[in-house]
Amino acid sequence: MIALTLAFRNVLRRRERSLLTLVGVLLAVGAFVAMVSLAEGLYRRVSLELDGRAVDVYVVPRTAAPLPTGPVGTVGLTTDTVALTWIEKIAALKNVRRVAPITRDQWTSEHGTVMVVGIEPTSLREFLPSLEIVEGRVFEAGQILVGVGLAASEGLTTASSQGAQEGLKNRFGPGESRYPISGIVSSGSGFQDYFVYLPLATALETNARKGVQEVWVKVEDPHRAAEVVQAIEALAIPDVKVMTRKDYLGAASDYIEYAWLLQFAISAIGVLIAITAAMNTMLMSTYERMREFGTLRAIGAPRGTVVTMVVTESVMLSLLGGLLGLAFGWIGSILLDRAMVTLLQLSFPLAAITPGLIIQAILLSLFVGLVGAAIPSVLVWRVDIVRGLRWN
Amino acid sequence: MKLELQGVHKYFDTPSGPIKILENINLQVAQGGFISVMGPSGSGKTTLLHLLGCLEQPSFGKVFLEDTEVTDAEETVRERIRLHHIGFVFQNYNLLPTLTVIENVLLPMQLANVKTAEQITRAQSLLRLVDLENRAHDPVTRLSGGQQQRVAIARALSNLPGLILADEPTGNLDGRSSKEVMDVLKSINDHQQITTVLVTHDPKVAAYARRTFHLEGGRLKELAR
């Protein structure tokens, strides 16, 4: 309690210096939160996306990136496909319950690029159980489903609703080919909320393709998914990779890890500056108060109590800076997100301030405070009482 | 508290060799005694006080507090002795400037984990003793030098010590404030029988004590009254 009182009073003693340190930590934590929120948002959406799928084995072209969105800009972009002739052969394998060929395309809207998934209507519920129809019904040939997020941003509604009378559009598509919207779906904040779903036959017709970008496989016994992978590989389909769900998630996670590391590395510069600022403040404060520390030791305060005062002061300043930095980072995250969505022409937001990120930010503030107090603590621990009493 | 120094020597090591500060000091003070130590600047008066206060250890010899040898006591033991049994009064007061008057007096009691209710009662009583009860909640920086030194005395008495060590307590004060401070110290010694060792270069201040010693060339000599 004494340490807390003395630490608090000392923070107020040199307000300008305390304020500058606070601002340093605020900026560092804010930058960290803003940058890392992009990776956190990506990870959250990827997790929701993959958790919402009931796919046991993935067959994708070797050159494709295992991203649940499909290609993002040029990341994962490939023209390679899996020929349709292989679908029946995969479906005939032992332990395969169902096969869903999937196409992926991109449409351009006035708000950015929209991901378009071609899938058989009967496969929707089987392979995407988290996708709920919140308005309308499943598509038929020549119709589409749109995600709830996309519907909100583009002002879309179903063909059968009265929303059209209120100025909402009930058709969507690239250029002249606007498809009637049969239903609006929601996955609970996954990427799917920003996708368009098109019947597979319509997708294949539109692009005159003879192949698909992905083949999703459901197996009878998920514990034997690895055997199915081997069986598909034995078919020697040219230029594909076959992955279990776990491998697919792992590969997708690698991309997110790189994004996280890159953003952390950039924000680390700010963190280092914050640590330097905190340490400078604490060193100056410590040297100014050597006589106080000497007096406290002289009247019987243990070393630990005096060191606790120094650490408490540093942590108090940095935690306060961190909490303010969270607010600053939240604003920064919104701005960064808008910039990234515009740059990559995305139709979905990327950034998310997750509970995990908030905890990381608080721990980071704590870390800055502790490191900032390290050298001053050593000085105070080692102070000779008599020398401290005579300090000028 | 009884004090005793037996054959105490104190040297400081320097690059050019050891410097003698105290040589063969023998001193006995009975419980309730009031002694003053005078001497020129640099004669080792403060070092003597530090040895009695367990802030430093002698190069040779023994230090006894209440018949218990503390010469080579571990640091944690010496901390406890200072906290519970010794009160310091410094020339520069050495109050904590961010705390109020009463908070400075409470500080040793908080370090000693005295119960809160008792802390407040005792602090108020001590401030009454030094006639500063009505300034309890003022920041110490707003007090005059004499008032601050009286707060320092109240702080020194906070844990009901058996020994007060005062290092030039009037060194930074004018005549009137000096008299106020010394009257308080004398009164405490007279009424509470707390052993008091006072270091000063001022004969008028030294005269408050019942015994006076002179320290020069590292040697201690009692002056006749």
Side-chain angles (χ1 to χ4, degrees), chain B:
Chain B
M1 179 181 282
K2 282 165 56 179
L3 310 175
E4 187 170 355
L5 298 177
Q6 285 181 6
V8 165
H9 298 248
K10 180 67 179 175
Y11 299 90
F12 286 129
D13 288 321
T14 67
S16 48
I19 295 179
K20 176 191 74 180
I21 304 296
L22 299 172
E23 187 177 347
N24 198 28
I25 305 292
N26 291 285
L27 175 67
Q28 284 181 336
V29 182
Q31 196 252 326
F34 189 167
I35 72 165
S36 60
V37 179
M38 291 185 61
S41 183
S43 59
K45 304 186 297 294
T46 300
T47 302
L48 180 68
L49 217 62
H50 288 170
L51 289 172
L52 288 169
C54 300
L55 289 175
E56 293 189 67
Q57 291 168 296
S59 305
F60 301 106
K62 294 182 183 181
V63 180
F64 292 85
L65 297 178
E66 205 61 53
D67 293 326
T68 302
E69 188 182 349
V70 297
T71 318
D72 296 315
E74 284 185 13
E75 189 185 328
T76 47
V77 173
R78 287 187 280 130
E79 266 167 22
R80 278 201 299 274
I81 292 171
R82 290 198 300 271
L83 181 60
H84 294 284
H85 301 292
I86 301 175
F88 287 91
V89 181
F90 301 100
Q91 181 175 355
N92 293 318
Y93 332 129
N94 285 6
L95 298 173
L96 269 60
T98 53
L99 299 182
T100 61
V101 166
I102 195 166
E103 284 169 343
N104 267 280
V105 177
L106 288 169
L107 187 56
M109 288 188 271
Q110 288 168 338
L111 289 169
N113 293 319
V114 171
K115 285 184 189 163
T116 309
E118 195 184 331
Q119 283 180 30
I120 307 288
T121 311
R122 202 188 293 175
Q124 286 169 340
S125 165
L126 288 169
L127 287 175
R128 227 176 290 130
L129 182 71
V130 297
D131 200 25
L132 285 171
E133 197 184 1
N134 60 343
R135 304 295 299 269
H137 299 289
D138 288 350
V140 289
T141 47
R142 287 206 196 144
L143 271 57
S144 69
Q147 289 170 328
Q148 289 192 48
Q149 195 62 295
R150 282 188 274 150
V151 175
I153 292 170
R155 181 183 69 185
L157 294 169
S158 191
N159 280 333
L160 310 175
L163 172 64
I164 297 278
L165 300 172
D167 188 359
E168 304 267 13
T170 61
N172 287 346
L173 304 178
D174 59 30
R176 186 174 157 209
S177 300
S178 296
K179 185 177 181 311
E180 281 173 4
V181 165
M182 290 313 301
D183 284 345
V184 168
L185 279 175
K186 184 89 168 87
S187 169
I188 288 163
N189 176 258
D190 285 343
H191 294 110
Q192 299 184 31
Q193 292 294 295
I194 298 176
T195 308
T196 307
V197 178
L198 166 73
V199 155
T200 182
H201 63 271
D202 186 345
K204 286 185 201 163
V205 170
Y208 277 83
R210 285 192 280 279
R211 294 164 71 189
T212 302
F213 292 78
H214 186 80
L215 185 60
E216 192 162 5
R219 291 183 169 268
L220 191 70
K221 187 180 165 187
E222 185 164 1
L223 301 178
R225 285 226 152 224

Side-chain angles (χ1 to χ4, degrees), chain A residues 98-284:
Chain A
R98 190 157 179 157
V99 175
I102 303 289
T103 63
R104 290 196 181 272
D105 284 299
Q106 292 180 0
W107 291 350
T108 305
S109 76
E110 52 185 82
H111 291 111
T113 305
V114 177
M115 305 299 176
V116 183
V117 176
I119 184 171
E120 287 162 345
T122 49
S123 295
L124 257 180
R125 195 158 289 281
E126 176 100 40
F127 286 90
L128 296 170
S130 67
L131 211 60
E132 273 187 47
I133 297 180
V134 296
E135 192 183 314
R137 54 180 172 75
V138 176
F139 50 42
E140 291 171 358
Q143 295 178 334
I144 59 172
L145 288 171
V146 298
V148 65
L150 183 65
S153 63
E154 297 280 347
L156 303 174
T157 187
T158 58
S160 59
S161 80
Q162 293 179 354
Q165 297 170 7
E166 295 163 12
L168 296 175
K169 295 172 279 187
N170 59 10
R171 298 179 78 90
F172 187 68
E176 295 298 321
S177 41
R178 292 177 184 274
Y179 298 92
I181 300 168
S182 70
I184 296 175
V185 292
S186 170
S187 68
S189 300
F191 292 114
Q192 296 157 357
D193 286 354
Y194 296 87
F195 287 3
V196 168
Y197 295 89
L198 193 63
L200 181 71
T202 310
L204 289 170
E205 240 174 57
T206 308
N207 293 313
R209 281 201 192 102
K210 294 192 174 124
V212 294
Q213 277 81 7
E214 289 184 26
V215 180
W216 294 354
V217 181
K218 215 163 163 54
V219 303
E220 295 289 355
D221 179 1
H223 295 107
R224 298 173 68 182
E227 288 176 23
V228 171
V229 167
Q230 285 172 359
I232 297 173
E233 282 173 344
L235 290 174
I237 306 170
D239 298 318
V240 298
K241 48 190 171 192
V242 188
M243 294 182 276
T244 61
R245 175 195 174 87
K246 191 177 162 192
D247 294 334
Y248 188 88
L249 179 59
S253 296
D254 285 346
Y255 280 91
I256 298 163
E257 255 181 52
Y258 296 140
W260 197 95
L261 280 170
L262 176 66
Q263 284 153 358
F264 179 76
I266 295 169
S267 61
I269 298 167
V271 170
L272 285 172
I273 294 172
I275 289 175
T276 309
M279 194 174 283
N280 184 52
T281 296
M282 290 314 303
L283 268 174
M284 283 170 62

